[in-house]
């Protein structure tokens, strides 16, 4: 079943080969074999991509990603090589394009939870567990957990749903050593993000998640980026961009 109400036609750019249309990003490959990821302004809800876009959402998403990669650089490498526009790319790709290393994806959605909510709450109400991990009695929506937990899920294709799985199932699928590395890295990233949020007067109320990759990923990117500082300092990106910041913050 398609995840698009109206699937877009990808833009053809000389020197780039279009590989895939995702829910939000278009994926290309350049002549050097590097991946070119372009974040669109599309928005998805409950695994469906809606026909109405949010202006500047892709730029905000890209800058949020780059800012977080910088905060986490000492904990884990990343895939970003640079942010320069490929030759012949449209001007609209400025600020929403990443040049990346091609890596092999581990098909696991790596999720860390510090609080109980969402699908975790549903499972807890039924079994008092989340992804097979036993939790104390008496927790409610938004309860802080005794310690952050690793609650992985399957990495579903467009139009399909991610499903929570146990750590043991992840170890069976990808091997014990890789599973242990995924859990350690996920909890370290969550802990760093939680500390950053608390230092700024906020809290990591729900969870952090990312798809896992393996390979010789670079530790940083080449070339400057504006990050979030101008936005947080009051730079006006327009109502659409502000809405995108709020939406992305809620999803994170």
């Amino acid at each position: 079943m398609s995840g698009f109400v109206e699937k877009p036609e990808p833009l053809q750019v000389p020197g780039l080969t279009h590989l895939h249309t995702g829910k939000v990003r278009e994926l290309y490959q350049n002549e050097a074999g590097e991946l070119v990821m372009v974040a669109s302004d599309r928005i998805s809800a409950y695994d469906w991509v809606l026909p109405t876009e949010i202006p500047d959402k892709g730029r905000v998403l890209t800058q949020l990603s780059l800012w977080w990669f910088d905060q986490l650089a000492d904990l884990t490498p990343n895939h970003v090589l640079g942010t320069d526009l490929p030759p012949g790319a449209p001007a609209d790709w400025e600020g929403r394009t990443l040049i990346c290393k091609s890596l092999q994806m581990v098909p696991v959605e790596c999720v860390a939870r510090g609080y109980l909510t969402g699908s975790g709450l549903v499972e807890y109400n039924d079994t008092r567990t989340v992804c097979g991990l036993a939790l104390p009695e008496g927790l409610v929506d938004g309860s802080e957990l005794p310690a952050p937990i690793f609650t992985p899920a399957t990495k579903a294709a467009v139009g399909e749903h991610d499903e929570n799985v146990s750590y043991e199932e992840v170890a069976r699928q990808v091997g014990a050593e890789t599973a242990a590395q995924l859990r350690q890295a996920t909890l370290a990233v969550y802990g760093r993000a939680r500390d950053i949020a608390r230092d700024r007067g906020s809290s990591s109320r729900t969870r952090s998640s990312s798809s896992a990759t393996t390979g010789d990923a670079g530790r940083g990117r080449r070339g400057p980026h504006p990050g979030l500082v101008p936005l947080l300092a009051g730079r006006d990106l327009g109502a659409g961009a502000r809405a995108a910041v709020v939406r992305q913050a809620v999803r994170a």
Side-chain angles (χ1 to χ4, degrees), residues 6-93:
E6 299 175 5
K7 190 168 184 177
E9 287 293 328
L11 183 66
Q12 300 301 318
V13 178
L16 299 182
T17 301
H18 183 262
L19 300 178
H20 179 69
T21 294
K23 295 178 183 179
V24 173
R25 293 175 177 84
E26 297 289 346
L27 184 64
Y28 297 81
Q29 188 175 50
N30 63 23
E31 294 175 344
E34 300 161 339
L35 297 181
V36 180
M37 299 175 62
V38 184
S40 73
D41 293 336
R42 296 192 292 267
I43 181 71
S44 65
Y46 297 101
D47 300 310
W48 282 94
V49 180
L50 305 182
T52 303
E53 297 184 345
I54 297 178
D56 289 324
K57 173 181 177 288
R59 290 190 178 89
V60 173
L61 177 60
T62 300
Q63 299 310 316
L64 280 169
S65 298
L66 289 168
W67 189 85
W68 277 110
F69 291 152
D70 280 349
Q71 310 311 306
L72 304 171
D74 63 315
L75 296 180
T76 182
N78 62 70
H79 57 303
V80 179
L81 296 172
T83 59
D84 293 337
L85 280 184
D92 183 61
W93 284 15

Side-chain angles (χ1 to χ4, degrees), residues 135-193:
L135 295 176
E137 292 283 343
L139 301 180
V140 297
D141 191 6
S143 290
E144 185 171 9
L145 303 179
I149 58 176
F150 178 60
T151 57
T154 60
K155 183 60 179 171
V158 173
E160 299 178 4
H161 295 280
D162 294 344
E163 294 184 3
N164 293 343
V165 294
S166 68
Y167 175 77
E168 289 73 21
E169 176 60 20
V170 172
R172 187 189 70 81
Q173 292 183 11
V174 304
E177 182 178 356
T178 298
Q181 292 173 343
L182 296 179
R183 179 170 60 183
Q184 187 278 328
T186 301
L187 293 175
V189 167
Y190 177 87
R192 174 65 57 80

Side-chain angles (χ1 to χ4, degrees), residues 11 24 32 85 89 93 100 102 129 141 178 181 208 216 221 225 243-244 246:
L11 183 66
V24 173
L85 280 184
W93 284 15
C100 306
S102 179
T129 65
D141 191 6
T178 298
Q181 292 173 343
S208 65
D216 182 23
R221 57 186 166 73
H225 71 81
V246 173

